[in-house]
Amino acid sequence: MRPDLAGVPGVLGEIARQRALEVAPYPLPEPEPVPSFREALLLPGLSVIAEVKRASPSEGAIRDMDPVEAAQAYARGGARAVSVLTEPHRFGGSLEDLKRVRQGVALPLLRKDFVVDPFMLQEARAHGASAALLIVALLGELTGAYLEEARRLGLEALVEVHTERELEVALEAGAEILGINNRDLATLRIDLATAPRLGRLARARGFQGVLVAESGYSSREELKPLEGLFDAVLIGTSLMRSPDLEEALRALVG
């Protein structure tokens, strides 16, 4: 049950096709109990999912850091969850990072990667993730099947969209946590108007689940259009570039 990645354009397609070649099932440790990602994001106010990443395709090298120390600083700064990049080539991440962060903080963890094979969901759960990222631009009509597999494994899913068509697919698939990415993953361009526009549309279509805005946020002012509409925001690069992660997070969310 793999998506057809041949027609996926740009950087997204390149990364996804490479990830697909690297999936090779192996014995996994037994999963242990993990905190709920969804419940953490539904706490009062705009919850922050703070991201641990060393690099990105749009920024290149961002920061050489210990992922556990970064996650612990985020926890002290008020993050409600931590996103851990596990893609190695463009983001400098690994499953070992996820495993170590799980041992270092009590917060829910999101495995941030380009899931193109069901085994990657098993890996996420076995290495301590509460949730995994499912990108509709990659999975298309298989989004619902991957959501079902995640639920079977006891794993929550952040279902990510960037367009109105992808939003329709996510809603039809039964997404409960909907991520709206301001970044076009094919071109890497950011438009901060995307999340509010699609967020309002999702609510108008009857979506009552958790709404998460993603990508491009670096100031408190930029978060204002999300208030009262979104439950959470995912912030990575702007935090990672700050000398003091804890203080940067406090300054952003108060």
Side-chain angles (χ1 to χ4, degrees), residues 18 28 31 55 67 81 149 194 234 241:
Q18 186 167 21
L28 292 167
E149 176 63 8
T194 302
L234 191 151
R241 287 205 180 284

Side-chain angles (χ1 to χ4, degrees), residues 107-248:
L107 295 173
L109 304 182
L110 169 71
R111 180 190 184 181
K112 186 94 173 282
D113 208 318
F114 299 79
V115 172
V116 288
D117 187 288
F119 183 71
M120 296 177 79
L121 297 175
Q122 295 178 41
E123 282 184 320
R125 184 67 187 85
H127 286 82
S130 296
L133 178 69
L134 299 180
I135 302 173
V136 174
L138 289 180
L139 299 175
E141 300 304 322
L142 285 177
T143 301
Y146 273 70
L147 254 178
E148 283 182 27
E149 176 63 8
R151 289 179 185 136
R152 186 185 71 79
L153 295 166
L155 188 68
E156 294 170 284
L158 175 62
V159 181
E160 181 179 290
V161 305
H162 176 70
T163 67
E164 191 170 333
R165 173 63 194 136
E166 289 170 11
L167 174 62
E168 292 300 329
V169 172
L171 296 178
E172 287 169 21
E176 295 174 349
I177 308 173
L178 187 63
I180 301 178
N181 200 340
N182 291 309
R183 189 188 302 279
D184 182 330
L185 293 178
T187 65
L188 302 182
R189 293 194 190 94
I190 285 179
D191 178 1
L192 290 183
T194 302
R197 178 174 60 82
L198 291 182
R200 286 190 293 270
L201 187 58
R203 293 299 191 207
R205 300 273 165 90
F207 178 71
Q208 295 182 332
V210 180
L211 267 184
V212 181
E214 306 173 40
S215 297
Y217 297 104
S218 59
S219 72
R220 233 162 148 176
E221 195 67 26
E222 290 169 342
L223 299 180
K224 284 186 177 174
L226 306 180
E227 292 171 6
L229 176 60
F230 281 79
D231 301 289
V233 58
L234 191 151
I235 306 176
T237 301
S238 66
L239 290 174
M240 281 273 104
R241 287 205 180 284
S242 304
D244 187 323
L245 299 180
E246 179 182 348
E247 284 308 310

Side-chain angles (χ1 to χ4, degrees), residues 28-60:
L28 292 167
E30 278 297 311
E32 296 185 0
V34 290
S36 170
F37 186 64
R38 181 179 179 276
E39 287 178 12
L41 302 189
L42 286 174
L43 291 169
L46 187 66
S47 297
V48 174
I49 308 164
E51 191 155 86
V52 174
K53 63 179 175 184
R54 295 179 178 85
S56 76
S58 60
E59 301 286 333

